[in-house]
Each structure stands twice: as C-alpha cells, then as structure tokens.
Amino acid sequence: MNAAAHSTLSESMRAASGAVCASAGTLSNHPPSRGGSTRIASAKRVGVGGLFHFLSKFAPHPRPLPTTRKSAREEGSRAAVPRSFLASVIAGAILLLVAAHPAAALDFPALTGRVVDQANILNAQNRNDITEKLAGLETKTTSQLVVVTLRSLQGTSIEDFGVQLGRHWGIGQKGKNNGALLIVAPTERKVRIEVGYGLEGTLTDAIAKFIIENSILPRFRAADFPGGVKRGVDDLILVLQGEGEEFKKHAVAQQPAATSDQMSDEAVLAIAGGIFLAICLVIFLVVRSVWRNVKDARSRGESGWSALVPDTSSSSSSWDSSSSSGSSFSGGGGSFGGGGSSGSW
C-alpha cells in the first residue's frame, strides 16, 4: 500500500469516527423518550456497522481457489483402487500368518524313545523288540528310524503332521539328515513313511509306497497292527542297510505304465507345479525358521541377533548323548522335506 492510499484510508477512518461520535452526541442531547433507549442502541450498532462496512471496501479480498468437478465414475474408480489393494494386503497377511504358525497349532508327543506308542496299539514285548532292531540299525548305519503311533492327526493331513514332527524331533544326524519315521494314525486309518533329506535317494517314494501297500496295509486291514508295524520295520531296515535292490525292482514293476502323450502332459504340469511349490516352500521355510528361532530365543530370555541365529550346541550335544548312552534317545538335528509315501485302509 503506497503513501497516498494510506493517507486516504486514515482520513476516511477519522471522518467515519467523527460521524459516529456526532450521532452519539446528538442522541445524548435529547432526553430519552418512549423507545428512546432502543433507538440509541440501534444507532450505535448502525454506526459501528457502517464503520466496518466502510473499511471493508479497502481490505483486499482473497481469490477463491479453482475447483474442478470430477465425474462419479472417476471418483468411484479412484476409491476402488485402495479398497482392492487393502483386500490384497489383508489376504497376504493372513496367508503369512497361517504359514508362520503351522507348528503352533499341533501338539506333538514327546520323544520318549525309538518307539512312541501314543495310540497304544503295541504291547510291551512288541515295543522292546522293535526298539532293539532300531538301535542296531543306528549302530550299523548311523541312520535313525523311529516308530510313532498317534491318537489323532489333530485335523491336519498325515503328510503335514509327519514332516513337522520329523523336524520337531530332529530325527537323523545333523548335516546328514538320515532320519525316517513310520507313522500310524489308527483313528484316521492312515499310515506314512516320512523320509529325511539324506535318505531320499535310498528310501525312495516308490519303495516306501511298495512297503506300505504290500507289507503294512494288508495286516492293518486284518486288524493286526503289531504285525503290520513289525513287518514294515523289518523291510525299512533292509532298505536302509543297503539291501533294497529287490524292493526297488518290485516298486518299479508295480508302477503303472504311461503313454508318451500322458508323459508329456504330466511333464509340463510337473514343471509348472514344481516351480510354484518350490517358491511356496522356500517362503514357508524361511518364515517358519525365523519364527521358531525367535520364539526359542525369547523362551531362553535372549533378544536381538541371537534370536535369528539357531543354537547348534544343544543339537550336537543331544546327538552325542544319544550316541554314547544306550539308556536315552534323542534326535540328532536332522531335517525333513516331505519325502516319503502314505496309505490308508
């Protein structure tokens, strides 16, 4: 604002103020009559209001911001994108939680020996005989084979229960992963041979399937659970001791022949499915491993980097104790990847 405008504004304010004062003085010289006080107050309000109205002519007015009106379709599409993105994020979080907590939902039995008969289908003599055979196998080959019967699969599949139980117990030597499980679930009428990473080349899925269908299931169908378990253990010991060529021949002969067209289609599906499953498995293993390490570290009162680094001292010491002492048994830190075969009766 320049000097001339400032001078004009000052003179105008003085003139308006004088007019207001004159009006007030004129009104004050006349005695109040009926309604006189009302007129005086009204005049004062008019005078003050007029002053502000007069001053408002010289005040700058802000320009209104330009507004653009969008179509309802555009607004709807913009609102739909965050909703769909939020739904995707929620779905992904749920899947990660389900993958990260599978073991927390299962109640595993304690590893009390080489035979864990939770379903109570074996008598004491059966358990002792099988235990001696399994101990001899470990002494000869260092491979660990454990027989476990379950009261229930707790709502999951025997395949999922088996791989998680093998990892939870750590059957087999650490680094060699030469462990195996013979799992029987009488309530669900399921049986499975779970094979560790290091034994998948010796105890193949085909051989495991052959043993289940020819040695175990016929006896289970006849309600001979001890006979099926003992026969399955005998066959597994033969294979793990390197005497599985005969089983391999029978297993190959038992597999149905496939045509070339079927093989080509199955190969494409196997490649696509294998890639997808491999990605899912890697994500699952990483999340689950980190979660278990953090959980174990917190239970020991640790935090920070130690929560993400697995403690190998306990697993190695447990293997040493199981190897040197015949009165106790524990896993040696082996791992499982889902190899093996299942059956039902």
Side-chain angles (χ1 to χ4, degrees), residues 5-21 51 54-56 58:
H6 185 272
S7 176
T8 303
L9 177 60
S10 300
E11 292 176 359
S12 300
M13 292 177 64
R14 285 195 297 271
S17 178
V20 172
C21 294
L51 174 62
F54 180 79
L55 294 177
S56 64
F58 297 91

Side-chain angles (χ1 to χ4, degrees), residues 16-285:
S17 178
V20 172
C21 294
S23 299
T26 303
L27 291 173
S28 63
N29 292 329
H30 292 80
S33 60
R34 184 178 179 181
S37 58
T38 304
R39 288 194 296 271
I40 292 173
S42 176
K44 290 182 178 180
R45 286 195 298 268
V46 170
V48 175
L51 174 62
F52 281 102
H53 177 70
F54 180 79
L55 294 177
S56 64
K57 295 180 180 181
F58 297 91
H61 296 280
R63 294 183 179 180
L65 296 175
T67 58
T68 57
R69 191 170 185 177
K70 300 178 182 179
S71 63
R73 179 179 299 179
E74 183 179 359
E75 293 178 356
S77 62
R78 287 179 176 272
V81 172
R83 286 196 295 268
S84 61
F85 177 75
L86 181 61
S88 302
V89 171
I90 293 175
I94 292 174
L95 290 176
L96 286 178
L97 288 176
V98 171
H101 300 280
L106 299 177
D107 183 16
F108 298 118
L111 182 59
T112 56
R114 302 178 193 274
V115 179
V116 180
D117 187 19
Q118 189 185 56
N120 197 24
I121 62 174
L122 304 171
N123 57 36
Q125 186 61 44
N126 296 146
R127 290 193 293 269
N128 292 335
D129 294 342
I130 296 173
T131 299
E132 290 181 4
K133 294 178 180 179
L134 299 180
L137 171 68
E138 183 177 358
T139 300
K140 186 176 181 178
T141 65
T142 71
S143 297
Q144 288 185 327
L145 174 60
V146 175
V147 175
V148 54
T149 69
L150 303 170
R151 284 193 295 265
S152 171
L153 292 174
Q154 305 175 32
T156 187
S157 64
I158 194 170
E159 292 81 9
D160 184 51
F161 197 102
V163 69
Q164 292 192 45
L165 180 62
R167 292 171 179 170
H168 179 74
W169 281 350
I171 303 301
Q173 294 188 46
K174 184 177 180 62
K176 292 185 177 181
N177 301 316
N178 55 347
L181 298 173
L182 175 56
I183 308 170
V184 182
T187 302
E188 291 83 2
R189 306 176 71 88
K190 298 287 185 180
V191 60
R192 177 167 178 80
I193 297 175
E194 192 72 40
V195 183
Y197 285 117
L199 295 179
E200 290 181 354
T202 302
L203 183 56
T204 63
D205 295 352
I207 294 177
K209 182 179 181 63
F210 178 82
I211 293 175
I212 289 175
E213 293 185 351
N214 294 273
S215 300
I216 299 176
L217 289 182
R219 291 168 174 80
F220 281 5
R221 293 190 180 104
D224 183 11
F225 291 106
V229 172
K230 288 191 292 184
R231 179 59 186 272
V233 167
D234 292 340
D235 291 350
L236 288 172
I237 290 176
L238 288 176
V239 174
L240 295 178
Q241 287 179 346
E243 303 174 16
E245 290 299 324
E246 192 68 22
F247 291 96
K248 186 175 181 179
K249 292 178 182 179
H250 289 299
V252 173
Q254 186 172 324
Q255 292 179 344
T259 62
S260 59
D261 294 337
Q262 291 175 339
M263 289 297 293
S264 60
D265 294 339
E266 291 177 357
V268 174
L269 292 176
I271 294 174
I275 295 175
F276 175 76
L277 291 177
I279 296 174
C280 294
L281 181 62
V282 169
I283 297 175
F284 168 78
L285 292 177

